[in-house]
Coordinates of all heavy atoms in Angstrom, one line a residue:
A172 N 76.2 120.7 57.6 CA 76.6 120.6 59.0 C 77.5 121.8 59.4 O 77.3 122.4 60.5 CB 77.2 119.3 59.2
G173 N 78.5 122.1 58.5 CA 79.4 123.1 58.9 C 78.8 124.4 58.9 O 79.2 125.3 59.9
R174 N 77.9 124.8 58.1 CA 77.2 126.1 58.2 C 76.4 126.3 59.4 O 76.4 127.3 60.0 CB 76.3 126.3 56.9 CG 77.2 126.4 55.6 CD 76.3 127.0 54.5 NE 77.0 126.9 53.2 CZ 78.0 127.8 52.9 NH1 78.4 128.8 53.7 NH2 78.6 127.7 51.7
T175 N 75.7 125.3 59.9 CA 75.0 125.3 61.2 C 76.0 125.6 62.2 O 75.8 126.4 63.2 CB 74.1 124.0 61.3 OG1 73.1 124.0 60.3 CG2 73.3 124.2 62.7
L176 N 77.1 124.9 62.2 CA 78.2 125.0 63.4 C 78.7 126.4 63.3 O 78.9 127.1 64.4 CB 79.3 124.0 63.1 CG 80.2 123.8 64.3 CD1 79.5 123.2 65.5 CD2 81.6 123.2 63.8
L177 N 79.0 126.9 62.1 CA 79.5 128.4 62.1 C 78.5 129.4 62.6 O 78.9 130.3 63.2 CB 79.8 128.7 60.6 CG 81.0 128.0 60.1 CD1 81.3 128.3 58.6 CD2 82.3 128.2 60.8
R178 N 77.2 129.1 62.3 CA 76.2 130.0 62.9 C 76.1 129.9 64.5 O 75.9 130.9 65.1 CB 74.8 129.6 62.3 CG 74.6 129.9 60.8 CD 73.3 129.6 60.3 NE 72.3 130.6 60.9 CZ 70.9 130.4 60.8 NH1 70.5 129.3 60.2 NH2 70.1 131.2 61.4
A179 N 76.3 128.7 64.9 CA 76.3 128.5 66.4 C 77.6 129.2 66.9 O 77.5 129.9 68.0 CB 76.4 127.1 66.8
L180 N 78.7 129.2 66.3 CA 79.9 129.9 66.9 C 79.7 131.3 66.8 O 80.3 132.1 67.7 CB 81.1 129.5 66.0 CG 81.7 128.1 66.1 CD1 82.7 127.8 65.0 CD2 82.3 127.9 67.6
A181 N 79.0 131.8 65.9 CA 78.7 133.3 65.9 C 77.6 133.8 66.7 O 77.3 134.9 66.8 CB 78.3 133.6 64.4
G182 N 77.0 132.8 67.4 CA 75.9 133.2 68.4 C 74.5 133.4 67.7 O 73.6 134.0 68.3
E183 N 74.4 133.0 66.4 CA 73.1 133.2 65.8 C 72.1 132.2 66.2 O 70.9 132.5 66.0 CB 73.3 133.1 64.3 CG 74.4 134.2 63.7 CD 74.5 134.1 62.2 OE1 73.9 133.3 61.5 OE2 75.5 134.7 61.7
V184 N 72.5 130.9 66.5 CA 71.6 129.9 66.8 C 72.1 129.1 67.9 O 73.3 129.0 68.2 CB 71.4 129.0 65.6 CG1 70.7 129.7 64.4 CG2 72.7 128.3 65.0
R185 N 71.2 128.3 68.6 CA 71.6 127.4 69.6 C 71.0 126.0 69.2 O 69.9 125.6 69.6 CB 71.0 127.8 71.0 CG 71.6 129.0 71.6 CD 71.3 129.2 73.0 NE 69.8 129.4 73.3 CZ 69.1 128.7 74.1 NH1 69.6 127.6 74.7 NH2 67.8 129.0 74.2
P186 N 71.9 125.2 68.5 CA 71.4 123.9 68.0 C 71.3 122.8 69.0 O 71.9 122.8 70.0 CB 72.4 123.6 66.9 CG 73.7 124.3 67.4 CD 73.2 125.5 68.0
R187 N 70.2 122.1 68.8 CA 70.0 120.8 69.6 C 69.5 119.7 68.7 O 68.7 119.9 67.8 CB 69.0 121.0 70.8 CG 68.9 119.7 71.5 CD 67.8 119.8 72.6 NE 67.6 118.4 73.2 CZ 66.6 118.2 74.1 NH1 65.7 119.1 74.4 NH2 66.6 117.0 74.7

Side-chain angles (χ1 to χ4, degrees):
R174 290 194 189 282
T175 299
L176 190 74
L177 291 176
R178 292 184 66 193
L180 287 170
E183 297 176 13
V184 296
R185 289 196 295 127
R187 182 183 178 190

